[in-house]
Amino acid sequence: MSASTGSTGSTGSTGSGATAGGRTGGSGARVALAWTLVGVPLAYGLVETLVRASRLFTG
């Protein structure tokens, strides 16, 4: 019955976070750190843009 699920590969990869090397330990912490390093400056830039745009349109 699993052959009719639409899976194209025979390895059974479901995209559950396993990498090509098979290492999954600690990758969640690395991903969280990476998103934090990207997200904090992005959020700051977005807020600054909105504040400056509001000043532009409100005088």
Side-chain angles (χ1 to χ4, degrees):
M1 184 139 181
S2 65
S4 64
T5 60
S7 176
T8 58
S10 61
T11 60
S13 176
T14 60
S16 61
T19 61
R23 293 176 289 164
T24 58
S27 65
R30 287 180 136 182
V31 169
L33 178 63
W35 274 110
T36 301
L37 290 175
V38 171
V40 169
L42 181 65
Y44 175 77
L46 181 64
V47 168
E48 286 295 314
T49 299
L50 293 175
V51 166
R52 291 179 187 212
S54 70
R55 286 184 196 159
L56 177 67
F57 291 112
T58 59

